[in-house]
Every structure is written in C-alpha cells, then in structure tokens.
C-alpha cells in the first residue's frame, strides 16, 4: 500500500442501481420479501458503499498483488431508491493505521441523501489470504 494513502483523501464514485438490487429481487427466495417495496435493499447498499471505497483505494494499492477486504460497516439507510437511479457516493479517508483504512462515506440518489456512515477495510496479500481460506476448508468438519 502506498504511503500516499493518508487521511483527508476524498473521492467520488457513481453507481446505477440495478433491478437485482431491490428487496424483492435480492431476497426472491423468501416469500414475504417478494411483497416488499421494489427499492434498493440495505444489504446491497452496503456492498455498493464497500465497492466505492475499493475504487477510492485503487490508486494506492498494487493491484492485484494487494487487495482489500471490508472489516467493519456502520451505515444508516436514510431514504428509498428505486432501480435505475444513479447513486453518487462521496467518501473521505479518515484514518490509516498499518494495513487498516477507515472511511467516512455518504451517498445520494439525485433526489435524497440515502446513506451516511463509516467503513473500514484491511489491505491483504491475496495469496496468503487464499492459502488460509484453503486451510480452513480442509479443516472444516464434513
């Protein structure tokens, strides 16, 4: 990870909400969810916020030799967003400690602010990480 990744760095990213990201589509295998409003599911929104932070980190990591994984999320989902709307996500690096990077993040859908919160990611060596996962799979009970 580049030493240039420092608190105060700001970035912006956009993402158009696909129909598969709505509550009835994301949780299609749960009967009562199929009757819920056709709006962005909070679980999918969390992934979008993570993806925005990954995009913001890309200039500072040696991809694909260095990657990052989410280790903490704390978001408020403030307003509904129907599919097809484009989100504008704005974030700022607030803390860098070793391989851990923390962000303050917000998102708007063009009509409303839909999210505010904090996200943390940890930079990893994917070769070492995948070896640990493979070991865990081998040791898992059948």
């Amino acid at each position: 990870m580049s030493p240039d990744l420092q608190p105060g760095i700001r970035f912006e990213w956009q993402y158009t909400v696909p129909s598969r990201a709505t509550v009835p589509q994301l949780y299609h295998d749960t009967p009562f969810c199929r009757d819920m409003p056709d709006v962005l599911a909070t679980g999918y929104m969390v992934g979008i916020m993570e993806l925005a932070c990954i995009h913001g980190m890309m200039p500072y990591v040696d991809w694909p030799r260095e990657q990052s994984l989410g280790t903490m999320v704390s978001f408020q989902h403030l307003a509904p967003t129907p599919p097809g709307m484009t989100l504008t996500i704005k974030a700022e690096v607030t803390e860098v400690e070793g391989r851990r990077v923390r962000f303050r993040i917000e998102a708007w859908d063009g009509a409303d602010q839909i999210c505010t919160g904090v996200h943390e990611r940890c930079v990893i060596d994917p070769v070492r990480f995948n070896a640990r996962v493979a070991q865990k799979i081998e040791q898992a009970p059948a």
Side-chain angles (χ1 to χ4, degrees):
M1 178 171 65
S2 168
D4 293 337
L5 182 57
Q6 294 292 321
I9 290 176
R10 296 173 189 243
F11 54 91
E12 187 173 308
W13 186 65
Q14 292 191 317
Y15 184 84
T16 301
V17 176
S19 59
R20 71 177 181 275
T22 65
V23 176
Q25 295 299 314
L26 188 61
Y27 304 110
H28 61 87
D29 57 347
T30 304
F32 64 85
C33 288
R34 291 193 297 259
D35 297 329
M36 293 180 78
D38 194 31
V39 295
L40 177 63
T42 301
Y44 202 96
M45 182 197 72
V46 168
I48 294 169
M49 299 302 106
E50 285 195 279
L51 196 52
C53 291
I54 293 168
H55 277 273
M57 289 179 71
M58 288 301 279
Y60 305 97
V61 296
D62 183 16
W63 184 268
R65 193 181 67 75
E66 293 179 313
Q67 297 178 17
S68 67
L69 296 174
T71 55
M72 188 276 295
V73 295
S74 178
F75 299 129
Q76 289 181 297
H77 196 164
L78 304 170
T81 303
M85 292 189 85
T86 298
L87 302 180
T88 299
I89 299 116
K90 296 180 181 183
E92 178 180 357
V93 175
T94 60
E95 187 179 339
V96 178
E97 185 178 302
R99 300 179 76 72
R100 187 177 58 80
V101 183
R102 186 170 282 198
F103 305 87
R104 181 175 42 248
I105 189 164
E106 299 177 329
W108 291 263
D109 65 11
D112 296 303
Q113 182 177 10
I114 66 132
C115 179
T116 185
V118 176
H119 178 46
E120 187 175 283
R121 302 193 66 74
C122 184
V123 175
I124 63 157
D125 172 342
V127 172
R128 282 186 33 214
F129 185 87
N130 289 333
R132 287 177 53 204
V133 172
Q135 183 180 27
K136 188 172 190 174
I137 290 169
E138 286 177 18
Q139 294 172 351

